[in-house]
Amino acid sequence: MTVAIPAANTDHGLRGDYSRVRDDYTLDQDMGAYGEADHGTWRTLYRRQMALMPGYAADAFTGAVRAMGVADGIPDLARVSGWLSARTGWTLVAVPGLIPDGAFFDHLANRRFPVTWWIRTPEEMDYLVEPDIFHDFFGHVPMLATPVFADYLAAYGAKGVQAEAEGGLKMLARLYWYMVEFGLVRTPAGLRAYGAGILSSKGETVHCLDSPEPNRIGFDLARVMRTDYKIDTYQRTYFVLDSFDQLFAATDRDFTPLYRAFKDTAPLAPDAVLPEDRVLHRGRPPHAAA
Ligand code: HBI
Ligand code: FE
């Protein structure tokens, strides 16, 4: 079965075994497939990230991680699905890795979050090309327990079919990249990270808030959808929500006018700063726009 490599502009082969997936690209998580070394990798990553969370992660994120009780080893997706669906109607489905956009959006629209079942090797502790269960579960699942974010992600998924028809997939992918993978949110205690790509990464958890290099710009839907991103470095710009309600409200509208207005225009550079931007922090050169 060939799998079109979704959105990510990579040319590597996909690691997972797609030969036994169901039509919706899901498969059964086999808890017996994990060795002690795998659970050890999970514990190492979990402890390292949880030690970093105070002062960097949004409270909603860390509260949910603790409530799920997943410190001791790779979680059983079915068990956590029971806990999660009682809160926001979301369940977790195991997948072999990245799946085609169409299947991915359909799962999100139906409140099923695809979680890669395998875990990285010890040699890949700090960087791996394709999301593994630590990125997908530790990074993405906690925010699914926050009702307004859970509603946002389902509404986001429902946009997939229309985006495909309107040639807006790249713009929709940018919204996911910046606001699901690398989003920051304002809190009374200051900026905090909630993005999965940030909070599953030791280096970027600190970089996103402490480094003077990246821009930090107030969220604006069209601005995010127009801005290109890089997949193999820390982000040059982080977009900042005033609240998760703001993200949901921005999605509760028809995206077609945005696709038509911008799908054929050149994207903005990852480090661009526009005159109309709400700039919370202007990155220091060379990463800020000249
Ligand atoms: N598949 N399993 C998986 N996980 C993702 O995060 C994912 C995907 N396929 C496509 C995709 N993400 C991106 O194209 C999103 O922007 C849709
Ligand atoms: Fe992700």
Side-chain angles (χ1 to χ4, degrees), residues 201-217:
S201 154
K202 179 181 75 159
E204 196 141 11
T205 296
V206 176
H207 177 85
C208 75
L209 294 185
D210 289 358
S211 169
E213 283 185 11
N215 301 314
R216 295 178 187 92
I217 295 174

Side-chain angles (χ1 to χ4, degrees), residues 175 219-226 250-251 253 255 258:
L175 179 59
F219 170 77
D220 172 88
L221 182 67
R223 175 68 161 87
V224 167
M225 283 184 149
R226 294 174 57 198
T251 311
R253 56 177 279 193
F255 284 179
L258 289 170

